[in-house]
Amino acid sequence: MSEQHRCDSLWHGADVITMQNGRYNIIEDGAIAVRDGNIIWVGPLRDAREMNAARRIDFGGGIVTPGLVDCHTHLVFGGDRSHEFEQRLNGVSYSDIAAQGGGILSTVRATRAASEAELVSSAAWRLQRLLAEGVTTLEIKSGYGLTHDSELRMLRAIRQLAQQTPAQIQSTCLAAHATPPEFGDNPDGWIDLICNVLLPQVADEGLADAVDAFCEHLAFSPEQVARVFDAAQRLGLPVKLHAEQLSSLGGSALAARYGALSADHLEYATEHDVAAMAASGTVAVLLPGAFYLLREKQVPPVALFRQYGVPMALASDANPGTSPALSLRLMLNMGCTLFGMTPEEALAGVTLHGARALGLADTHGSLEAGKVADFVHWPLTRPAELVYWLGGELPCQVIFRGEAIR
Ligand code: DI6
Ligand code: FE
């Protein structure tokens, strides 16, 4: 028996949906060999006879997918905004709520008032809901602190969640999310502080894996975003951008010029934006939760992304204002029903392309030799069922780094 056939565990007895190259690539009656938390072999069980496995685990039917990836969340925040949701449905307008100090600034106040431990424990509850549905990798952004200290506190809370949770958690600094009230008439002053003080410290302490900004009329201009991206680039941090959510400002083409990992939302992206993203390999992250909650009408240009070969990811955008989403599986359904993605594209969007939007595609997002052994067993017969069932809990067994964790 050669060394290359020795493994810690051989998981078998289910159809394996590998998602290699973003396609289902179904291996009927497949098997996955794991050593030291990594996949060393995937194939039909009948070809695994020579495997010298310390443990063999029989799933007894069903399908196995890669662990799901939620590549865009704002899970860490203080308070919630269910009262504003109710107010809006009782006829109070967004602008009235904002004029009363509500909206994003109400979350900023609650986040500033929370300790790091409180931020961790309130986010942990939401995190558990996502993980219970088979998420093994996710990203969490800062952006509700909007002071030097409270942005750092959010990022430290994210790192703490990463340490205490059996999941891969990436941290993104989104200090350029909104202008803090203290900088009301001087947004450029906040951008200066981000570029010259905050980001250097964030990089120094290793608190973020990427830098994000919100490019929109009600947030920051492409010129302001470019300054943040220049600073990130000097510090060796990859960038991503909230772009073209409510209007077309050319943010996604700007992101592409900086080789961004992803541009996110994109309802108003033009063909020029899409071509630029294709040329730079920037992933289009689609966020149907915010589209749904804001009752938007313009859908992202899915046909253009297909035509230009721009990979599409799907994410929850979990945040207290525009997407209080605790289910990535619901986003799969919405991506198809609202945006016209196919179930195969949607599943690629929460596996391989989601991993790519985090710069993790070499190690995550598909079931292939050399990648981490993160996978999920579902009592289903076809992968489209993951997209098809609307809500309800689907039982699943989650394997993280080769160990069953739920
Ligand atoms: N996009 C959004 O939709 C929000 N932030 C962002 O970057 C809204 C965040 C909020 O309202 O709390
Ligand atoms: Fe967002």
Side-chain angles (χ1 to χ4, degrees):
M1 186 66 57
S2 74
E3 175 61 14
Q4 86 195 61
H5 291 127
R6 188 185 58 76
C7 64
D8 302 327
S9 54
L10 185 75
W11 304 76
H12 65 93
D15 294 343
V16 176
I17 319 298
T18 74
M19 297 315 291
Q20 189 170 11
N21 302 316
R23 310 304 300 265
Y24 288 150
N25 281 309
I26 303 177
I27 303 173
E28 286 178 17
D29 198 12
I32 304 169
V34 176
R35 186 162 67 206
D36 297 329
N38 294 309
I39 298 172
I40 59 163
W41 181 86
V42 183
L45 178 62
R46 64 173 180 279
D47 293 346
R49 286 197 197 97
E50 294 189 9
M51 277 292 163
N52 174 14
R55 270 191 310 156
R56 286 177 181 254
I57 300 99
D58 186 350
F59 285 121
I63 63 172
V64 174
T65 66
L68 306 187
V69 180
D70 191 348
C71 67
H72 180 143
T73 87
H74 309 248
L75 268 192
V76 169
F77 54 83
D80 70 72
R81 305 237 290 280
S82 54
H83 54 294
E84 291 181 11
F85 176 76
E86 187 162 22
Q87 275 182 302
R88 287 204 305 277
L89 290 167
N90 279 299
V92 185
S93 73
Y94 273 105
S95 47
D96 286 345
I97 291 172
Q100 293 158 15
I104 208 166
L105 289 182
S106 75
T107 300
V108 169
R109 276 194 304 278
T111 303
R112 287 179 180 182
S115 68
E116 187 178 318
E118 285 165 345
L119 290 176
V120 169
S121 69
S122 65
W125 169 82
R126 298 184 281 269
L127 179 58
Q128 287 313 318
R129 304 276 64 72
L130 287 175
L131 300 186
E133 288 196 327
V135 171
T136 52
T137 300
L138 75 159
E139 182 249 27
I140 308 178
K141 303 173 193 294
S142 72
Y144 287 116
L146 304 185
T147 64
H148 177 258
D149 288 352
S150 55
E151 283 294 306
L152 291 176
R153 188 157 66 242
M154 284 191 76
L155 293 169
R156 291 193 181 110
I158 296 166
R159 286 296 195 224
Q160 207 177 309
L161 282 164
Q163 259 179 11
Q164 69 184 44
T165 313
Q168 173 84 35
I169 299 182
Q170 301 293 109
S171 164
T172 297
C173 180
L174 176 60
H177 191 194
T179 299
E182 297 79 2
F183 287 83
D185 51 1
N186 180 24
D188 282 301
W190 175 237
I191 297 290
D192 286 339
L193 201 147
I194 293 173
C195 296
N196 301 330
V197 185
L198 180 62
L199 285 182
Q201 185 171 353
V202 165
D204 201 45
E205 293 187 30
L207 286 174
D209 305 299
V211 172
D212 194 352
F214 189 14
C215 188
E216 195 57 65
H217 288 298
L218 49 89
F220 297 102
S221 68
E223 294 70 29
Q224 290 166 327
V225 171
R227 291 174 54 212
V228 174
F229 282 2
D230 284 332
Q233 229 163 39
R234 282 196 297 275
L235 296 163
L237 286 166
V239 298
K240 44 182 52 226
L241 189 64
H242 286 70
E244 268 72 63
Q245 180 185 7
L246 306 168
S247 60
S248 176
L249 291 184
S252 39
L254 170 84
R257 279 207 297 287
Y258 283 83
L261 291 171
S262 69
D264 303 38
H265 286 288
L266 301 173
E267 279 81 347
Y268 288 83
T270 64
E271 183 159 2
H272 172 260
D273 297 325
V274 176
M277 290 173 64
S280 65
T282 298
V283 176
V285 177
L286 307 186
L287 304 169
F291 171 90
Y292 165 79
L293 211 88
L294 296 174
R295 299 193 197 183
E296 293 291 321
K297 295 285 178 290
Q298 173 138 343
V299 299
V302 165
L304 285 176
F305 294 134
R306 271 187 205 128
Q307 185 188 326
Y308 282 83
V310 173
M312 290 179 277
L314 262 176
S316 68
D317 196 16
N319 78 67
T322 59
S323 189
L326 299 176
S327 168
L328 190 57
R329 226 163 37 73
L330 182 57
M331 300 301 122
L332 288 173
N333 184 280
M334 286 183 170
C336 293
T337 306
L338 299 176
F339 292 169
M341 297 172 84
T342 66
E344 189 174 44
E345 285 171 338
L347 196 57
V350 299
T351 53
L352 187 62
H353 298 328
R356 196 159 156 181
L358 297 176
L360 297 174
D362 289 343
T363 48
H364 293 66
S366 60
L367 299 175
E368 297 176 64
K371 292 203 172 184
V372 294
D374 296 355
F375 45 90
V376 188
H377 174 245
W378 310 88
L380 305 172
T381 52
R382 304 181 62 241
E385 275 187 86
L386 282 170
V387 183
Y388 162 78
W389 295 111
L390 198 52
E393 232 172 73
L394 276 188
C396 62
Q397 184 180 16
V398 180
I399 290 84
F400 181 71
R401 303 298 142 85
E403 298 296 331
I405 55 162
R406 71 176 74 234

